[in-house]
Amino acid sequence: MKKLCIIAAWAAASVCFAQSKQVAAEAEEKDLRQALAEAGSSPLEFARAIEKHLEKYPNSEQKSMLERALAKAAIEARDDHRTVLYGERVLARDMQDPQILERVTRVLLKTDDPKAAERALRYARKFEEILRALEREGPSQTRSRAQILEELDRSLARALVFQARASGNLGKVDEAIALATRAWERYATSEAAREIARWLARSGRELEAVERYAEAFTLTDAANTAADRARDRALMGELWRRLKNTDAGLGDVVLRAYDRTAELISRRAALRRENDPNAEATDVMQFVVPGLGGDKLALGSLKGKVVIMDFWATWCGPCRVQHPLYEKVKAKFASNPDVVFLSMNTDEDQTAVKPFLEANNWSNKVYFEGGLSEFLRVSSIPTTIIINRQGRVVNRMNGFVPERFVDMLTERIEEALRS
């Protein structure tokens, strides 16, 4: 009898514990939804909201997922401290996220610290390993072949540049030159040329370094800022004067470098035009966007209708809060064939989209942005863009105000219908 009483008491305690745990989980979920709703559209505000939540719930069962979201938000906000802090926590559990691997590596290599270089080298090698696996798989069916191949080449070049910098910081100068040269051969960028030049100069091969700094100076890729080019110019001139005791002849070096890099850019553009239907697009309605199921949508086919584009991502907390409000607006225009709503996903990891839609019971009628984000200068999400019947962008909503979103978007669609 005593044993039965103990068993009954243990069972009752277990039930109470389970109920208590469920209540606690529900309370935490409610707090999290509230925190994210109040965070606004800024990735930094989103990060702070999650940090406060984890301070309140340090043993949260969602901790790993929330730290991943924190790392992504920190990357979006260009917050180096949080990128490394939360990014390395994520990588300690799972090193399969290429975006986090890349950004953490880049931040670690902003210093010459050998310990940071060791960690960066490990992450950069893993980054390359993931990219090589993607290369073996071939281009995704949901994106243009040219776009994904170019991004893959560019990313592999970055992985090799990171390894070059880390190896050089660890005293392996010859290895650094070889890795940076492989990066240049894979995808010629100012970053790769600059890295080759850095270590050639350190090894005493200063004339070769001048040639490489000249290439970095003449390239016009997006990552090559005015400050970068000014530094390249200064270093190039300093090395040349040390070798020649004059500036004479340096202009010819720059002109030769310009010819080489211009030819590289021309060949790259020709390849992109050959394979990418959006490469020559100069108007939003000329874009063709890939769908989640492999289908493609030519935006030009929607001319004459009002098109509402919702730019979002799976990791974006405010996007989740906005979604049911957006659905309310869609319902208002469900019977109007002249209004088209397009869900435009911006995730870099497109494999995460389908599981996310299924887990959250969202419609799978989703398109990948296919270069539209850059073309339309979508710099934060969620962003809603309205295109009128003539195919012109007539309204843009960066972020949203929950209490006013449904009315505001409805009013703007109705205004576009009248125009």
Side-chain angles (χ1 to χ4, degrees), residues 18-34:
Q19 290 174 339
S20 174
K21 190 175 181 182
Q22 182 179 353
V23 170
E26 289 173 354
E28 182 190 347
E29 184 65 27
K30 182 179 178 182
D31 280 357
L32 180 58
R33 285 198 302 270
Q34 181 67 28

Side-chain angles (χ1 to χ4, degrees), residues 145-198:
R145 178 180 176 83
Q147 182 183 18
I148 193 138
L149 289 176
E150 184 165 0
E151 286 182 8
L152 186 58
D153 283 343
R154 190 163 49 227
S155 296
L156 277 165
R158 283 199 300 273
L160 292 167
V161 166
F162 292 156
Q163 291 176 49
R165 174 64 61 88
S167 297
N169 287 349
L170 291 169
K172 303 173 183 178
V173 174
D174 289 341
E175 188 173 326
I177 295 170
L179 285 163
T181 301
R182 283 175 56 201
W184 173 266
E185 291 168 351
R186 184 69 195 220
Y187 195 92
T189 64
S190 57
E191 188 175 45
R194 192 173 296 121
E195 202 65 30
I196 299 171
R198 173 196 296 266

Side-chain angles (χ1 to χ4, degrees), residues 382-399:
T383 288
T384 305
I385 289 178
I386 301 175
I387 298 170
N388 69 7
R389 297 176 191 270
Q390 291 74 46
R392 297 195 305 273
V393 174
V394 293
N395 218 300
R396 175 188 297 261
M397 298 169 66
N398 299 324

Side-chain angles (χ1 to χ4, degrees), residues 59-76:
N59 299 315
S60 171
E61 291 185 357
Q62 303 182 72
K63 187 172 183 177
S64 61
M65 181 270 289
L66 291 174
E67 286 185 339
R68 182 179 292 276
L70 266 169
K72 298 276 188 175
I75 290 168
E76 184 75 14

Side-chain angles (χ1 to χ4, degrees), residues 173-392:
V173 174
D174 289 341
E175 188 173 326
I177 295 170
L179 285 163
T181 301
R182 283 175 56 201
W184 173 266
E185 291 168 351
R186 184 69 195 220
Y187 195 92
T189 64
S190 57
E191 188 175 45
R194 192 173 296 121
E195 202 65 30
I196 299 171
R198 173 196 296 266
W199 301 113
L200 283 172
R202 296 277 183 94
S203 68
R205 297 158 64 181
E206 294 181 330
L207 188 58
E208 293 175 72
V210 169
E211 296 279 352
R212 292 301 191 165
Y213 274 127
E215 288 172 341
F217 176 73
T218 57
L219 275 168
T220 56
D221 52 70
N224 201 11
T225 67
D228 289 331
R229 297 181 76 240
R231 282 193 293 272
D232 293 334
R233 172 65 183 88
L235 289 167
M236 177 173 53
E238 181 183 329
L239 289 172
W240 184 259
R241 284 189 295 275
R242 187 185 304 162
L243 291 165
K244 306 291 184 179
N245 294 316
T246 178
D247 284 331
L250 184 56
D252 292 334
V253 172
V254 174
L255 286 174
R256 288 196 299 270
Y258 177 84
D259 289 340
R260 291 195 300 274
T261 56
E263 175 61 23
L264 286 170
I265 292 167
S266 178
R267 288 203 305 267
R268 191 184 300 162
L271 180 63
R272 189 166 56 246
R273 284 194 300 272
E274 181 181 341
N275 294 298
D276 188 349
N278 296 326
E280 298 294 317
T282 57
D283 183 276
V284 64
M285 302 309 281
Q286 294 174 354
F287 272 77
V288 176
V289 291
L292 180 65
D295 55 316
K296 293 182 179 180
L297 174 65
L299 296 186
S301 67
L302 302 177
K303 204 159 186 178
K305 301 178 185 291
V306 170
V307 181
I308 301 92
M309 295 183 180
D310 171 32
F311 289 84
W312 64 280
T314 59
W315 54 264
C316 168
C319 297
R320 300 187 189 203
V321 178
Q322 177 189 276
H323 183 73
L325 304 176
Y326 190 78
E327 291 296 308
K328 285 183 181 181
V329 181
K330 282 176 66 176
K332 286 181 176 234
F333 295 93
S335 61
N336 190 335
D338 289 336
V339 179
V340 178
F341 291 85
L342 297 180
S343 176
M344 308 302 300
N345 179 264
T346 64
D347 276 88
E348 290 189 17
D349 178 12
Q350 295 182 354
T351 62
V353 178
K354 187 176 180 181
F356 173 87
L357 297 173
E358 292 171 350
N360 290 278
N361 295 315
W362 286 19
S363 167
N364 64 1
K365 194 61 178 176
V366 168
Y367 294 93
F368 297 110
E369 53 87 28
L372 272 174
S373 293
E374 182 178 357
F375 184 82
L376 295 173
R377 298 181 181 177
V378 175
S379 58
S380 63
I381 53 173
T383 288
T384 305
I385 289 178
I386 301 175
I387 298 170
N388 69 7
R389 297 176 191 270
Q390 291 74 46
R392 297 195 305 273

